[in-house]
Amino acid sequence: MKKMMIAGNWKMNLLRHQARELTQEIILKIGDVKEGVDVILAPPFTALDIVGGLIAGSRVMLAAQNVFWEDRGAFTGEISPAMLMDAGCKWVIVGHSERRGILGETDSIVRKKINASLDDGLNVIVCVGETLQEREVGKTIKIVQSQVESALVDLELEDLQRLVIAYEPVWAIGTGKNATPQEAEYVHTTIHEITGSIFSQDSERIRIIYGGSVNGDNIEELLHMDNIDGALIGGAGLDADSFVKIVKLAGE
Ligand code: PEP
């Protein structure tokens, strides 16, 4: 069995003092969670230093929510993988549907971000998933397949365990309408087959996590599925009790 991963994506929420309070509460409550779960917090850039300082020495890892693909230069407003490493990040989230949908990130941009991040030592969570419209016309697998295949171009075998695929159906994000465990498992199994067809047995090193309105009440059933290796959490990650409950259930 692969090691479970629970990652909290705080999106554009929380001022610095709020990020401090939430992190302190999470660290306090998470205390005795088993080693079998990777726990990740992805605060906004402005709170990376505060959260990074508070989790130092704990088993919680720091992630950024976005990155640029160049190392340095005239790219106003952007942040490079090296800068994120310097700020204490071990992980970065790439290709979130809000970035694809609102900010126009394409598959080729996502791929550049993945490659630059891996090259500079960051681990990557790459998000894929279909919109409601795509789902309704039966295009779920086609969309997810092309996003996954594009993300995996140029990936070296030794980087497989440094890449996590988050299947996040766009219609389930922040809507309270999550995919049923069976719906999610169907897509995860397909992703597993796609990675298997590219990397054979080595693809077992790639974890596939689910995201979309996950909370303390629905996580258990999702995690019972064979091909679901954890979860990317939005809204429920902003509440320490809910987040810690999810982490604890993932550790059982
Ligand atoms: C997300 O934004 O990655 C997410 C899964 O959000 P939520 O849990 O709020 O649906």
Side-chain angles (χ1 to χ4, degrees):
M1 207 176 103
K2 294 175 204 160
K3 192 174 189 185
M4 286 282 169
M5 168 181 283
I6 300 295
N9 170 18
W10 294 358
K11 311 194 187 192
M12 198 178 71
N13 291 298
L14 306 185
L15 300 177
R16 286 162 62 82
H17 74 277
Q18 295 167 317
R20 178 193 304 281
E21 281 162 21
L22 178 59
T23 310
Q24 282 170 332
E25 210 182 329
I26 288 174
I27 294 287
L28 192 73
K29 293 182 171 162
I30 223 165
D32 56 348
V33 173
K34 296 205 188 92
E35 292 294 322
V37 194
D38 277 340
V39 183
I40 294 173
L41 295 179
F45 288 131
T46 48
L48 282 176
D49 62 334
I50 291 202
V51 176
L54 290 166
I55 63 177
S58 82
R59 25 189 308 269
V60 179
M61 295 178 279
L62 190 66
Q65 300 173 19
N66 183 32
V67 68
F68 193 61
W69 59 83
E70 296 287 352
D71 267 354
R72 70 188 68 77
F75 304 103
T76 302
E78 296 296 338
I79 298 198
S80 72
M83 289 168 172
L84 293 181
M85 294 284 290
D86 191 42
C89 292
K90 288 208 159 41
W91 290 86
V92 63
I93 299 170
V94 169
H96 191 281
S97 65
E98 286 148 16
R99 298 206 60 85
R100 292 179 189 261
I102 303 168
L103 293 146
E105 271 187 19
T106 60
D107 280 345
S108 84
I109 289 176
V110 170
R111 188 188 321 145
K112 284 201 257 187
K113 292 184 174 192
I114 294 172
N115 292 341
S117 298
L118 291 173
D119 282 352
D120 276 7
L122 283 168
N123 303 294
V124 174
I125 299 172
V126 56
C127 304
V128 300
E130 81 288 1
T131 62
L132 183 59
Q133 202 194 7
E134 288 160 347
R135 185 176 191 84
E136 282 173 350
V137 295
K139 282 193 175 161
T140 298
I141 296 303
K142 194 167 171 245
I143 295 294
V144 169
Q145 177 160 11
S146 74
Q147 290 175 340
V148 168
E149 285 176 348
S150 171
L152 297 179
V153 172
D154 298 333
L155 203 71
E156 309 279 349
L157 279 189
E158 68 258 27
D159 288 336
L160 295 188
Q161 67 272 27
R162 298 175 52 218
L163 184 91
V164 170
I165 298 173
Y167 168 56
E168 298 208 301
V170 181
W171 49 270
I173 295 180
T175 58
K177 207 167 40 158
N178 67 312
T180 64
Q182 292 71 24
E183 284 171 329
E185 175 68 359
Y186 172 66
V187 181
H188 280 234
T189 305
T190 308
I191 295 174
H192 193 247
E193 285 164 8
I194 297 165
T195 59
S197 71
I198 303 172
F199 298 109
S200 313
Q201 202 53 28
D202 290 310
S203 67
E204 291 299 326
R205 284 182 263 153
I206 301 180
R207 284 178 285 183
I208 309 169
I209 64 175
Y210 170 79
S213 297
V214 174
N215 57 43
D217 297 327
N218 59 28
I219 184 76
E220 227 173 332
E221 259 200 286
L222 285 160
L223 294 183
H224 280 143
M225 298 288 133
D226 285 346
N227 290 304
I228 299 184
D229 305 314
L232 182 54
I233 316 288
L238 295 171
D239 177 78
D241 286 328
S242 305
F243 186 72
V244 171
K245 181 176 176 189
I246 292 168
V247 171
K248 291 197 167 169
L249 287 169
E252 282 173 359

